[in-house]
Amino acid sequence: YCYFLLKKYTEAAADNVKALDIDGDEMAFDNLKILADSAFDVIDFKLKVQQMLQPNNYYWPYCRGMIHEYTEKFGEAIPLYEECKNIKFNPMVMRRISACQYQMGHFAEALEANREGLDADSTIYNLIMDKAVYLDELGRSEEAIAEYTHAIELAPDNAHGYQMRGWVKEQMGDTIGAIEDYSMAIMTDPDLIYVRYSRGKLYQKSGQQELAKKDFEFVVSTDVDSTDY
């Protein structure tokens, strides 16, 4: 980290990769993003060398995939994640592949990669939530709602599931259903500002002006920039 502050990126990258090699240090993994921002070619080269030295270690192509994905080189990240997958299959690697496909607008391919991950473990909450997103992008909104419902059943205390299901219902014109889901999300996490704003709009649309006013007043009372809404 001191080398990084001195802008000695080659030395910083070498030490960071050494830390990862010793014990997969979490801070060193997070530092990959910092190095990728300032010296992408340097850190990618150091990781590539390590990958060549340890060709049967899935961790190095995963790290390289991560920095490529982080810097929005999605098309280059996917083959690296595929290398990782071929060494050691992990459902969460499939999540990364599907996320890259999604960012490239390849929704059908994202759904297929997601399916591979869920085939290995059908109970992973984030994979189920991702599947719902991809289905919705493909115009299969009813199926998306079913997947959000499945995710909610697995994690009923996670506000994000209610929020996303409510959003799909809102886009489908189900105002009552969307209000119900937004309300559940707010009950789970009262500080969801955008959800309160979205619910307020639906209250307003359905003629429930007092309820809309309460939600809008809550949004305005927070520190967020109200011009965003």
Side-chain angles (χ1 to χ4, degrees), residues 10-31:
T10 300
E11 293 89 340
D15 277 351
N16 202 74
V17 170
K18 182 62 176 178
L20 290 171
D21 190 34
I22 293 169
D23 63 359
D25 182 75
E26 186 175 342
M27 184 179 293
F29 185 80
D30 291 340
N31 283 346

Side-chain angles (χ1 to χ4, degrees), residues 139-219:
R140 297 159 63 179
S141 299
E142 291 288 355
E143 293 175 71
I145 287 175
E147 292 302 325
Y148 283 130
T149 300
H150 182 197
I152 288 167
E153 289 169 351
L154 290 173
D157 59 343
N158 192 320
H160 190 53
Y162 300 108
Q163 177 184 351
M164 292 302 297
R165 188 174 68 178
W167 185 84
V168 175
K169 288 180 179 179
E170 179 180 352
Q171 304 312 303
M172 294 175 67
D174 182 4
T175 300
I176 294 174
I179 288 174
E180 290 175 350
D181 275 342
Y182 287 154
S183 297
M184 288 296 295
I186 292 165
M187 287 175 64
T188 308
D189 184 353
D191 295 324
L192 289 172
I193 306 304
Y194 187 75
V195 178
R196 282 188 181 269
Y197 174 71
S198 298
R199 186 178 69 173
K201 287 196 304 179
L202 292 181
Y203 277 143
Q204 189 177 53
K205 179 181 177 180
S206 60
Q208 302 179 73
Q209 302 303 331
E210 284 302 315
L211 292 174
K213 182 181 178 182
K214 288 181 181 179
D215 275 343
F216 294 149
E217 286 177 343
F218 182 89
V219 172

